[in-house]
């Protein structure tokens, strides 16, 4: 069964850092692009970042550039999102997703990030 | 303000049909990038419902169908059922942003 398990969320103060993880199973992780998508409370979905199969290509939304870094470890079938300089408007549920042919075909259950003092 | 525009809400009685529109621009849907649709049931993660404009993943009922024309896409749901009550999101790729873009979401209420 194809599965993504995201983790690492929590409560962090403004300006703080957090690292999200996503463990993949049931497919050849190293063959696929991966994505992070977030959803603020009561709001819609927002794409955050993509990474290509070997990790050499990374793309992110302007609002997180310079603060968030997407990475992966293909040996561990894991995806990461390093989030620095966190702000209140980064508060959201963060989902990792398998990205195939420009769509997110498999999603994790999400991990909640709350930025508050 | 989302790059793709959807109506905030639609509704219909059980057994009826509804359509949800998704309007983009020349840098995304109009640039021949496909439209994809996701269903998000309350309190759960999104699930891929339609990919590449009009294709259903395995397990998605035939009641769900998609189409695309010009700079817009549409999701049609026929034979509405109570379990269809959810938020629906369209998504495409935007060449000027070099990334994915979503619609603001449409809440479907089954009356």
């Amino acid at each position: 069964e194809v599965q993504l398990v995201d983790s690492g969320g929590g409560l962090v103060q403004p300006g703080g850092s957090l690292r999200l993880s996503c463990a993949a199973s049931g497919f050849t992780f190293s063959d696929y692009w991966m994505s992070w998508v977030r959803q603020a409370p009561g709001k819609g979905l927002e794409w955050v970042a993509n990474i290509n199969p070997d990790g050499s290509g990374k793309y992110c939304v302007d609002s997180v550039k310079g603060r968030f870094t997407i990475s992966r470890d293909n040996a561990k079938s894991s995806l990461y999102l390093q989030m620095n300089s966190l702000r209140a408007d980064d508060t959201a549920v963060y989902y990792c997703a398998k990205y195939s042919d420009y769509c997110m075909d498999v999603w994790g259950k999400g991990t909640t990030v709350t930025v508050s003092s | 303000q989302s790059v793709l525009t959807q109506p905030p809400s639609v509704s219909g009685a059980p057994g009826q049909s509804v359509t949800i529109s998704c309007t983009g621009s020349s840098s995304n849907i109009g640039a021949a990038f496909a439209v994809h649709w996701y269903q998000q049931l309350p309190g759960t993660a999104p699930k891929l419902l339609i990919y590449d404009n009009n294709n259903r993943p395995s397990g998605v009922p035939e009641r769900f169908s998609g189409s695309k024309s010009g700079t817009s896409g549409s999701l049609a749901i026929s034979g509405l059922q109570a379990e269809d009550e959810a938020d629906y999101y369209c998504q495409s790729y935007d060449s000027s942003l070099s990334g994915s873009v979503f619609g603001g979401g449409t809440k479907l209420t089954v009356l």
Side-chain angles (χ1 to χ4, degrees), chain B residues 59-86:
Chain B
V60 174
E62 292 182 7
R63 305 186 293 104
F64 295 91
S65 62
S67 63
K68 174 189 164 182
S69 178
T71 58
S72 295
S74 292
L75 172 69
I77 310 172
S78 61
L80 275 175
Q81 299 180 4
E83 68 207 49
D84 298 334
E85 196 159 279

Side-chain angles (χ1 to χ4, degrees), chain B residues 6-63:
Chain B
Q6 298 179 234
S9 63
V10 296
S11 62
Q16 289 188 334
S17 299
V18 296
T19 300
I20 299 172
S21 61
C22 174
T23 303
S25 66
S26 58
S27 61
N28 42 68
I29 300 174
F33 292 107
V35 181
H36 316 287
W37 292 90
Y38 303 87
Q39 178 191 58
Q40 186 175 33
L41 297 170
T44 70
K47 166 192 151 184
L48 181 64
L49 193 66
I50 296 287
Y51 66 97
D52 290 351
N53 305 318
N54 55 14
N55 294 284
R56 287 183 308 276
S58 173
V60 174
E62 292 182 7
R63 305 186 293 104

Side-chain angles (χ1 to χ4, degrees), chain A residues 35 37 39 43-47 50 59-60 62 65 95 99-110, chain B residues 33-34 36 38 40 44-48 51-52 87 89 91-93 97-105:
Chain A
S35 299
V37 176
Q39 185 170 33
K43 302 296 185 182
L45 301 173
E46 180 184 33
W47 168 72
N50 282 351
Y59 306 86
C60 63
D62 283 350
K65 280 180 182 172
Y95 298 99
Y99 188 64
S100 180
D101 292 328
Y102 294 100
C103 75
M104 290 83 174
D105 62 351
V106 181
W107 295 66
K109 292 189 187 306
Chain B
F33 292 107
H36 316 287
Y38 303 87
Q40 186 175 33
T44 70
K47 166 192 151 184
L48 181 64
Y51 66 97
D52 290 351
D87 293 323
Y89 294 90
Q91 176 252 319
S92 186
Y93 180 84
L97 299 175
S98 297
S100 294
V101 288
F102 285 94

